[in-house]
Amino acid sequence: MEQKFTGFKCKSCGRVMYPKHDRCLDCKGTEFEEVELGEGATLLTYTKLYVLPEGIEMPPLVLGIVKFPGGVRAMGQLTTDDPKIGMKLRPVWGKLRKMKDKEIFGFKFEPLK
Amino acid sequence: MRDVAIIGCGMTKFGRLEGKDLMDLLAEASLRAIDDAGAGERDFDSVYVGNMMAGELVHQTAVASALVDRINLIPAGAERVENGPASGASAVKNGFFAVSSGASDLVLVAGGEKMTAADTDVIGDLVSTMTHPTAEYVHGVTLPAMAAMLTRLYMERYGVTERHLAMVAVKNHANALKNPYAHLHRECTIEGAMSSIMIADPLRLYYACPISDGAAAVVLCPLEKANEFTDKPVRIAGFGHASDVQTLQEREDPAVLKSVQLASQQAFKMAKLEPNDIDVVETHDAFEILEIVQSEDAGFFEKGKGHLAVEKGVTALNGKLPINPSGGLKAKGHPVGATGVAQIVELVWQLRGEAGERQVKNPKRGFACNFGGFGNNTVIHILERGW
């Protein structure tokens, strides 16, 4: 089954959050449902990192903040070396890095064709 | 609540201090502060030690217990205070509470870190563990990466250029050249900064602080008893402390440091002062963009105009509002647990008129901003002459 990038919607007030909090950032509600955040996210800012953390082999590591259509933002790796502010991206599942010889997987962001 | 005075202060030189371990540094700074207060014969009630990661860096825990043993402050109640890189300011805040509540009459606050005990990549990783474990850290997010993303937002939105970052670095290096305690005693030019290596585009090496060892300390007592020790007590007029969501991207506006805004407003309210009452400022410029952003969110300049103040020389040593006369984290250095205490030490010297070549002209009030994360936990102190 394909993995979907999800946020957490407060069952009391409807605010969608990512990452998950145990209490809603608006109403302090404690019950949430997972909701898909969609495909087309917009790049707000980025960096090309040359001093790399453990388990990432080739510089630069491109990181960015994207904004999903509903307003939720996420930070993550970009699969492109040529990021442009405002470009549209979609979350894709893949290997993020190695930590203590263990491979870590998660969502990255890939430009929409 | 009793008024609280700083009656003594001291610090070690900051830098790569070979041959001195964490306890050597904490003891040296503490004894200097106690000597400065003339409190060598007195019994202390409480000791607070700001330290972020002794356990990880030098394999030592319970450093406050070790300090009271080392310099005989026994039987004072002693504890370590950890709040990331704001451990120092949080320790001062604890000291303030102890005195203002009436629980303690004589308090030592020290802060220190032995950063160079570990390799650079280990330190980088330890600092990165301040980020959100699942939404940031595992993705490879580091503090320079966060600073770079904030910088780019500022460039897009407010017209900040790389040259502005270089100007802040040049200013802070020039100030540090006049500070014998500073880590980097090296002139920095715009061209030199702008040709240093890229660490996190658009951030170059010279737009970030070095890795330093060091310690700083202050002695606190009730203002009403300060004349037993000194004729120049410095009053803690206000403090503020506020937090925000941990990740940069989830903030209401990722280009706004809301915890700086809230903590500053609290501190100004408590001190019954406004930003234009302040004569000298120490900011947490672990990255040069942060000096600009903090100067705006603290209320000294309009949002998006902080870089213009740098350009016009407003924040220079002889400007209208000198920022980081000590050299800041950029050039004085950033031994994380020491930083918040060292900012207070610099302001005390400035207010007492003892800052030597880097003395700001006749300051009456100072403001310090210390970060306990990347803008998600901020401790502010406002100091004023108590004489």
Side-chain angles (χ1 to χ4, degrees), chain B residues 341-382:
Chain B
V341 184
Q343 291 178 322
I344 301 286
V345 170
E346 175 69 14
L347 292 180
V348 170
W349 281 332
Q350 289 286 348
L351 295 174
R352 297 198 307 206
E354 296 170 4
E357 277 186 85
R358 65 185 189 288
Q359 179 64 50
V360 168
K361 198 178 169 193
N362 199 26
K364 302 219 168 31
R365 297 182 186 102
F367 178 101
C369 173
N370 193 195
F371 257 20
F374 192 81
N376 56 311
N377 192 325
T378 301
V379 185
I380 302 285
H381 281 95
I382 295 175

Side-chain angles (χ1 to χ4, degrees), chain A residues 21 45-47 73 77, chain B residues 139 152 201 249-251:
Chain A
H21 302 265
T45 183
Y46 66 90
T47 181
R73 294 183 289 247
Q77 299 181 6
Chain B
H139 299 266
R152 200 178 299 281
D201 187 8
Q249 72 271 12
E250 206 176 17
R251 300 189 191 161

